[in-house]
Amino acid sequence: RKEVEQDPGPFNVPEGATVAFNCTYSNSASQSFFWYRQDCRKEPKLLMSVYSSGNEDGRFTAQLNRASQYISLLIRDSKLSDSATYLCVVNMRGGGADGLTFGKGTHLIIQP
Amino acid sequence: DTGVSQDPRHKITKRGQNVTFRCDPISEHNRLYWYRQTLGQGPEFLTYFQNEAQLEKSRLLSDRFSAERPKGSFSTLEIQRTEQGDSAMYLCASSPPDSSTGSPLHFGNGTRLTVT
């Protein structure tokens, strides 16, 4: 099993729709989780951290399911500008900034 | 604060040549990371510094790769005897002293290496 696994997509979604994707991780001791966004030929940028109780930032909601070892990202009322690759990042060593492992990313295309 | 800065942005070199990249992290960040990213893949961890100490190196980092951070500020990544398989985007990231929840990474724009 890969350490951090994502569906590469692409997810083609009409503007205004809600879209969600998951990321599974293999190390049950992992404690830090993040979603990063990467635009084409640009560097990754932090979108949001993922907290145990789940968290929301505007149209974006992140959730953690420790029992099933996955995190999710939900985007409501999607905008054209949401088109990007979304990278799941897990701290495989459990706490701290060391050992951050990136998934391959999920490619999202918002269509007008 | 101008963020993480990397130089050069692009580098084209012939196979067998040596190349060196530079990264200037955010000034108050003591942690510095090098990643490599190829098309369709997520960033792959190469090495990590805390201040001037290189605390971890990936198995991906062959003997041809060396990284330094001599004064705990900027870092350099050198690739000797480049191969075509080294063609990739080399990303530098920094983060502040750790918190219990883990500190997110701030990436530079990257150096795109093409080995011909």
Side-chain angles (χ1 to χ4, degrees):
Chain A
R1 181 181 179 182
K2 294 180 182 177
E3 291 184 311
V4 178
E5 213 158 349
Q6 295 183 252
D7 182 342
F11 284 51
N12 289 283
V13 175
E15 189 176 9
T18 296
V19 60
F21 26 84
N22 292 339
C23 164
T24 58
Y25 60 94
S26 60
N27 187 340
S28 60
S30 300
Q31 295 183 13
S32 303
F33 308 90
F34 307 92
W35 284 104
Y36 280 70
R37 170 195 169 125
Q38 186 171 27
D39 294 299
C40 187
R41 293 187 168 269
K42 299 285 189 179
E43 75 277 15
K45 293 184 178 179
L46 178 68
L47 178 65
M48 58 197 302
S49 302
V50 185
Y51 301 123
S52 297
S53 55
N55 48 299
E56 189 173 306
D57 183 2
R59 297 181 294 107
F60 297 82
T61 300
Q63 291 191 315
L64 167 64
N65 186 317
R66 286 194 183 276
S68 300
Q69 293 181 212
Y70 73 87
I71 65 172
S72 64
L73 179 68
L74 182 140
I75 306 174
R76 289 181 300 277
D77 187 24
S78 54
K79 312 291 185 190
L80 295 176
S81 59
D82 294 334
S83 297
T85 296
Y86 291 84
L87 298 164
C88 167
V89 185
V90 177
N91 187 313
M92 301 303 292
R93 294 195 171 189
D98 303 17
L100 289 171
T101 302
F102 284 75
K104 292 185 177 182
T106 294
H107 190 198
L108 176 64
I109 301 171
I110 306 300
Q111 297 174 327
Chain B
D1 178 14
T2 57
V4 179
S5 176
Q6 290 189 247
D7 182 69
R9 293 291 303 275
H10 304 275
K11 178 69 177 179
I12 300 173
T13 191
K14 292 184 178 179
R15 187 179 55 183
Q17 297 295 304
N18 299 344
V19 294
T20 300
F21 310 141
R22 177 180 170 125
C23 171
D24 288 89
I26 294 172
S27 56
E28 61 268 25
H29 287 184
N30 67 333
R31 295 170 180 249
L32 186 147
Y33 304 77
W34 285 99
Y35 285 83
R36 180 173 67 189
Q37 187 175 26
T38 54
L39 193 63
Q41 303 293 316
E44 295 175 304
F45 171 77
L46 293 179
T47 190
Y48 157 64
F49 290 86
Q50 185 167 318
N51 301 310
E52 67 276 6
Q54 188 174 18
L55 297 186
E56 189 179 348
K57 291 197 298 185
S58 165
R59 290 186 301 275
L60 293 174
L61 212 64
S62 76
D63 291 344
R64 298 183 297 105
F65 288 69
S66 62
E68 294 183 342
R69 195 184 184 195
K71 298 181 180 178
S73 55
F74 74 91
S75 175
T76 57
L77 177 69
E78 180 183 18
I79 309 174
Q80 296 181 326
R81 305 182 303 282
T82 52
E83 302 173 355
Q84 287 186 321
D86 297 332
S87 296
M89 174 74 87
Y90 289 84
L91 292 161
C92 177
S94 68
S95 68
D98 190 35
S99 69
S100 60
T101 58
S103 303
L105 302 175
H106 299 257
F107 282 90
N109 291 328
T111 294
R112 185 171 297 280
L113 173 66
T114 302
V115 181
T116 61

